[in-house]
Amino acid sequence: MVLGGASRAHLLPLAAIELAALPVMGLALVRLVRTGVWKDHRFLLILAALAVALPLVQLIPLPFNIWASLPGRDQAVLALEIAGIAPSWLPLSLTPDRTWQAFLALLPPVAMLLAALTLDRVTVTRLVWGVLAFVILSIVLGTLQITLESRTFYPWATTNFGSLVGFFANRNHMATLCLIALPFAAAMAGSGLNSRDPDAGLRVWVGALIIGLVLVALGAIRSRFGVLAAGPGLIGVLLVAWVSSGRGRPTPLVMGLAAGAAVAIGIVAVFALGPILDRFDTDVANEARFENWPIVARAAQDFLPLGSGLGSFDPVYRSYEPVETLRAAYVNEAHNDYLQLWLTTGWLGIALIIATYVWWARRSWTAWRAGTHLERDLQRAASVALLLIGIHSAADYPMRTETIAVIFALCCAILDGAARPSRQQEPRRRHA
């Protein structure tokens, strides 16, 4: 989580994360097979396997005649002829080096997914607490960033300097992390009311404190998505807390969370409303991402049904970008991952996304119908967190940071636990 906060220009940290993922993935596969746990997660494992196989398929060399006949290759064929390069076998992807990098970037989230599926409830709960602790640490670092105004506290050279970004390079991705924390903090707080553990009361207070702190941080981050998604995020928080506390009349916890959220929103309104509104009142030229979407869609249609190859967005978009829209800054991403995947993977990628949403809907339906138990509470929180990431992906690219991708994989593993009967805690023995 500390090393994965940027989506580009961080090859060494990313390589370290990918290398560390290899032994984890190997050990997880062994445990999945030996324990037979994989049988309970067939559909999710198939989705993960297809996601990993997609870039590898795009790297398979094809005879030049077949490659040249694929849609969208006309300009590439013309460039080879002008350069005098003899035709040879070529992969489907127009940028095989970047497609290979995309495959390697999938290793850490896949390793987390496989490993988390083999873990017991106690260990998974500890991982969730680890994510929440990282959120608090990121907010503390972000507070130093905006108060001291020194580049010393910014981990990335290319970043939103002057904003609360924590360990990320982009404030929008920091906002996504904070939003992910909200439903999990609510689940931890709600589970404390139905537990006889000695630390149950502490969980209630810590969860409520995290929710209040995250809401204040969202105001300081000044991410437009963070502000717009705070409302749906709070609805998810209250639903998770209400279901966790028994689905009855609103409990003091739910009322307390609502009051705490109102206080946090009030603090944000008093101290940060002006800067937040300034973020919405921007020059139309800075909103080029929305103007670029029709261009991306036109390019995607030209490359159907197989796409241009993962990682090829930048060079492909440059070949379609009209001269009148050229600016000093180039368009590095489509700021709409669904549209970008349509361009780079064609109908195969879209089908995989649809299948993933079908999986999410089925597992979420099971989780939200289940009773009150910490394991089910975490599944409901994961359902909300995954939905927030999916919504943000429609206007940005949070999943292109390893931190969000790995947490996304953890949420998938937690939610897929809804496919199995809830594992109740073992009764404690009385000591003589």
Side-chain angles (χ1 to χ4, degrees):
M1 292 187 289
V2 173
L3 299 177
S7 59
R8 56 192 175 98
H10 66 309
L11 297 181
L12 187 59
L14 183 58
I17 298 171
E18 292 165 355
L19 288 173
L22 293 176
V24 176
M25 186 181 301
L27 292 172
L29 285 172
V30 172
R31 290 192 62 181
L32 281 172
V33 174
R34 286 184 176 179
T35 60
V37 174
W38 66 272
K39 298 177 183 178
D40 297 325
H41 307 283
R42 287 188 181 93
F43 193 74
L44 180 59
L45 291 175
I46 291 175
L47 291 177
L50 292 175
V52 173
L54 186 55
L56 295 179
V57 170
Q58 293 182 338
L59 292 173
I60 297 176
L62 300 173
F64 182 77
N65 292 336
I66 297 178
W67 182 87
S69 65
L70 294 175
R73 268 65 181 178
D74 298 341
Q75 293 185 9
V77 172
L78 180 60
L80 291 174
E81 293 177 354
I82 294 175
I85 300 176
S88 62
W89 286 48
L90 294 172
L92 185 149
S93 173
L94 294 178
T95 55
D97 55 334
R98 298 187 183 184
T99 303
W100 179 249
Q101 292 176 7
F103 164 74
L104 295 177
L106 287 172
L107 297 180
V110 171
M112 169 57 78
L113 174 67
L114 298 178
L117 290 176
T118 68
L119 300 177
D120 58 84
R121 181 186 60 81
V122 175
T123 307
V124 171
T125 304
R126 290 173 181 169
L127 285 177
V128 172
W129 278 118
V131 172
L132 294 177
F134 175 72
V135 173
I136 301 302
L137 182 61
S138 298
I139 293 175
V140 172
L141 176 61
T143 303
L144 295 176
Q145 292 168 345
I146 61 177
T147 55
L148 299 182
E149 297 184 352
S150 172
R151 287 194 175 272
T152 305
F153 296 98
Y154 287 86
W156 307 102
T158 303
T159 185
N160 294 131
F161 181 73
S163 297
L164 194 158
V165 296
F167 291 96
F168 289 91
N170 189 311
R171 60 173 156 240
N172 293 320
H173 302 158
M174 178 62 186
T176 303
L177 178 69
C178 289
L179 290 168
I180 292 172
L182 287 175
F184 283 109
M188 292 299 188
S191 65
L193 293 180
N194 297 317
S195 176
R196 298 179 181 178
D197 294 339
D199 61 344
L202 180 62
R203 291 208 304 266
V204 173
W205 286 105
V206 171
L209 179 63
I210 291 175
I211 292 173
L213 185 61
V214 164
L215 289 175
V216 174
L218 285 172
I221 293 171
R222 290 187 296 168
S223 164
R224 283 166 292 188
F225 167 77
V227 173
L228 293 174
L234 282 176
I235 294 175
V237 165
L238 295 177
L239 285 175
V240 170
W242 175 64
V243 176
S244 301
S245 59
R247 287 190 174 91
R249 179 179 296 180
T251 62
L253 169 67
V254 178
M255 301 297 292
L257 289 178
V263 172
I265 294 174
I267 294 174
V268 172
V270 171
F271 294 100
L273 184 59
I276 291 174
L277 292 178
D278 290 340
R279 284 280 294 149
F280 285 91
D281 186 22
T282 55
D283 187 5
V284 177
N286 294 328
E287 297 304 316
R289 68 178 66 179
F290 305 111
E291 301 174 1
N292 297 335
W293 288 353
I295 304 173
V296 179
R298 186 171 68 252
Q301 291 176 350
D302 290 345
F303 281 92
L304 290 178
L306 299 178
S308 59
L310 286 167
S312 64
F313 171 80
D314 179 19
V316 170
Y317 181 82
R318 293 185 191 217
S319 67
Y320 279 83
E321 187 176 14
V323 176
E324 57 271 15
T325 64
L326 289 176
R327 296 181 177 87
Y330 74 97
V331 181
N332 63 318
E333 308 286 354
H335 290 82
N336 183 328
D337 260 347
Y338 303 106
L339 194 58
Q340 185 163 333
L341 285 173
W342 187 28
L343 167 62
T344 57
T345 63
W347 290 120
L348 295 177
I350 297 301
L352 186 58
I353 292 174
I354 294 174
T356 302
Y357 270 107
V358 170
W359 163 83
W360 173 85
R362 292 176 58 190
R363 294 293 180 262
S364 298
W365 175 256
T366 303
W368 283 94
R369 293 180 62 197
T372 58
H373 185 266
L374 179 57
E375 186 177 13
R376 297 306 192 193
D377 296 337
L378 293 180
Q379 290 165 6
R380 288 183 279 265
S383 171
V384 176
L386 290 173
L387 180 60
L388 291 172
I389 296 175
I391 294 174
H392 193 191
S393 296
D396 211 327
Y397 47 96
M399 287 279 288
R400 296 182 185 273
T401 64
E402 286 297 319
T403 297
I404 300 299
V406 170
I407 296 176
F408 175 89
L410 176 61
C411 292
C412 288
I414 293 174
L415 179 58
D416 207 52
R420 296 174 294 171
S422 181
R423 295 166 290 180
Q424 301 294 333
Q425 293 181 345
E426 296 181 358
R428 297 182 178 181
R429 296 181 180 179
R430 294 182 179 179
H431 296 281

